[in-house]
Amino acid sequence: MSDHQLTAQEASTRIAEAADLSALEALRVEYLGKQGSISGLLKTLGKMSPEERQEKAPAIQALRQSVADALTARKDEMEAAELEARLATETIDLTLPAPQAPKGSVHPVSQVMDELAEIFADLGFAVATGPEIEDDWYNFTALNMPESHPARAMHDTFYFPDAAPKGGKMLLRTHTSPVQVRTMMAEGAPLRIIAPGRVYRSDSDATHTPMFHQIEGLVIDRDIHLGHLKWTLETFLKAFFETEDIVLRLRPSYFPFTEPSVEVDVGFAIENGQDGKLRRILGGSGDEPGHGWMELLGSGMVNRRVIEFAGLDPDEWQGFAFGLGVDRLAMLKYGMDDLRAFFDGDSRWLSHYGFSPFDQPTLSAGVGAKA
Ligand code: PHE
């Protein structure tokens, strides 16, 4: 047996016996590394005469090849063994009982917000957000309510002791309208957004809770007028209640940040629920006996002053805005009679009124959950 064959045999035994990847790497360096013994043999070829090289080269090349092949084969083997071992430890024991079906459901407020986001996405509105702990300036001043403005009093604001960066005190936002200003300042015009979120007012009875939910809508573009607002609200309310048969009442109103301002009510009828309680259900003209109107939203054309405060030119950009009470929409669509129960966290209420997380609202399947 030639020297080379002996070396090959010895290398192959040592490679087969290598215990792990680092031992294998040490062998590779020893034979094939820059200073390796086989690399050394290859270097001697350069100094040989052409005839001698022709005679010796094949054996040296064959040696190099056989060691390289043995190293690769052993490495593959080790990696396969490692994978086997991992698969063996990561098995799932299918004989174990299935985990209990998860409890919990989607809260009607989240459900309605998802439904609204779906409807407005289809109309080209993106979702924007802003902080719940807000600066007086965004919540009031930039919305055309300077410090002495009487409309501030209507908001029953929760204030913090801390001074706000832009003047006044920090507060819990009383509406989602500050997101109008923040988004205009951050993104400029044109703009089409909705801004869902929590808002806070010091107020509490069957239809008012200190924390509740609104969705703000804002469209800023050229040549926007009241007709766009009316169409948008009608289109969205019909999609939301999944009926053409709703009666809306638009009332002239006043908000410092819109001019003109419009409040929108929807007609409801009173029905005797299965539990014997009276509930409001959608339908009816509101003016018939036993019917009524429920105020759903405030809206209007964005006041020029607000567009200016947000750094845009009101001669170039106009828009409309609206603010919707999400909790009220939920009550009317899904038949709850007391707003306070929304926030009690009573699991019986939640399992009765909640929605399956698998029932995502989509326009094609109908935004209303089948509950
Ligand atoms: N922010 C108003 C409120 O909370 C609602 C509103 C929003 C009115 C946008 C007009 C335009 O009462």
Side-chain angles (χ1 to χ4, degrees), residues 175 177 180 201 214 216 255 257-258 298-299 321-323:
H175 50 178
S177 300
Q180 287 186 32
R201 290 183 202 177
Q214 287 189 334
E216 193 79 8
F255 299 101
F257 34 95
T258 47
S299 64
F322 54 88

Side-chain angles (χ1 to χ4, degrees), residues 90-171:
E90 290 177 6
T91 52
I92 299 170
D93 183 353
L94 294 174
T95 63
L96 286 175
Q100 277 203 333
K103 286 200 179 142
S105 55
V106 176
H107 194 284
V109 168
S110 304
Q111 171 72 22
V112 166
M113 289 212 191
D114 288 349
E115 292 178 16
L116 293 173
E118 179 68 17
I119 293 169
F120 279 106
D122 198 51
L123 297 174
F125 287 66
V127 173
T129 53
E132 289 170 32
I133 297 175
E134 187 53 287
D135 189 308
D136 183 294
W137 189 84
Y138 289 105
N139 195 82
F140 290 127
T141 312
L143 290 166
N144 199 27
M145 282 183 269
E147 243 151 78
S148 56
H149 200 288
R152 284 188 174 216
M154 287 158 43
H155 277 223
D156 300 307
T157 315
F158 290 111
Y159 286 98
F160 289 92
D162 316 64
K166 288 175 174 272
K169 297 236 180 301
M170 293 302 283
L171 46 82

